[in-house]
Amino acid sequence: MSRVQVVTTALGHRFPGQPFLFRGLDLVLDPDRVYALTGPSGSGKSTLLALLAGWLAPAEGTVDRDGVERVGWVFQNPHGVARRSALDHVVLPYLTRGLCRPRAVDRARALLAEFRLDDVADRAFSALSGGEAQRLMLARGIAAGSDLLLVDEPTAQLDTETGALVNRTLAALARRGTIVVVATHDPATRAGCTDVIDLVPLGGAVVAR
């Protein structure tokens, strides 16, 4: 099995007719780590997520996704199928990966319990609170076997108490064999991650563990 790692070399990006958001970005992202991606508004956090995912081609430099076969993305506003249950949202990725339905249901229920969602497993997505929906999307990313899981401002729309629960969930994503990168303005989210990538406009980034 190949090693999973994402490496950026001299990475920089700008949009046509605009100045560079950042340049000279050298990163080595490893599994079992949760990286807080921080920086002022306009520093390019969401753009960097898109570059890491391969959804956007960099203006300069490279992004090497070694061993990354599945990329998951959890958006600021969670998207799900309104009438499908929370359980269905986690069962489906396991079925897609080849598990039989009974095994997929067992795995999904266990994962929902880890994310403190077992009591809403049979509730429709449209009936979930914002925090429940956000945690469900994180669980779905794990169920999908994402090698790289990108999370964009997960607590931006949540109250303080719900945001704290989501932050504890993010911290629990470490040690699952997944590279997790979380773009955030929230100091509590930053504190709950294992590493910090602080974008410096036009000057790369400061990385701390």
Side-chain angles (χ1 to χ4, degrees):
M1 182 177 178
S2 60
R3 173 175 173 76
V4 175
Q5 191 175 70
V6 176
V7 179
T8 73
T9 304
L11 185 66
H13 195 72
R14 66 177 177 183
F15 294 99
Q18 300 295 319
F20 273 91
L21 292 167
F22 50 80
R23 306 184 78 175
L25 190 58
D26 297 318
L27 297 173
V28 178
L29 306 180
D30 292 312
D32 300 327
R33 314 295 299 180
V34 181
Y35 297 88
L37 176 58
T38 65
S41 296
S43 59
K45 295 187 294 297
S46 294
T47 299
L48 179 54
L49 291 184
L51 292 168
L52 295 176
W55 291 6
L56 187 65
E60 62 184 24
T62 60
V63 180
D64 295 312
R65 288 172 289 275
D66 298 327
V68 175
E69 297 181 359
R70 295 185 179 91
V71 178
W73 194 305
V74 178
F75 295 95
Q76 180 174 328
N77 297 307
H79 296 279
V81 181
R83 296 184 180 179
R84 289 282 186 178
S85 70
L87 180 63
D88 286 340
H89 280 78
V90 182
V91 167
L92 181 57
Y94 282 127
L95 293 175
T96 302
R97 293 171 64 187
L99 272 67
C100 66
R101 185 164 187 84
R103 180 64 174 153
V105 170
D106 287 345
R107 291 280 296 274
R109 288 195 180 278
L111 189 58
L112 288 173
E114 286 187 54
F115 283 72
R116 296 179 61 181
L117 292 167
D118 44 327
D119 57 339
V120 298
D122 298 317
R123 189 176 299 173
F125 182 85
S126 59
L128 299 178
S129 70
E132 289 166 346
Q134 194 66 272
R135 282 180 284 140
L136 178 63
M137 294 300 100
L138 294 170
R140 186 173 69 172
I142 295 298
S146 300
D147 302 301
L148 173 63
L149 184 60
L150 306 170
V151 186
D152 196 2
E153 298 287 358
T155 62
Q157 307 296 330
L158 305 179
D159 60 67
T160 302
E161 183 178 352
T162 305
L165 181 53
V166 170
N167 287 335
R168 290 195 293 272
T169 303
L170 286 168
L173 294 178
R175 299 178 301 279
R176 288 181 177 270
T178 301
I179 301 169
V180 183
V181 184
V182 186
T184 184
H185 285 97
D186 185 348
T189 301
R190 173 181 176 139
C193 296
T194 60
D195 305 75
V196 176
I197 303 167
D198 191 13
L199 279 181
V200 179
L202 299 182
V206 177
V207 183
R209 288 196 171 183

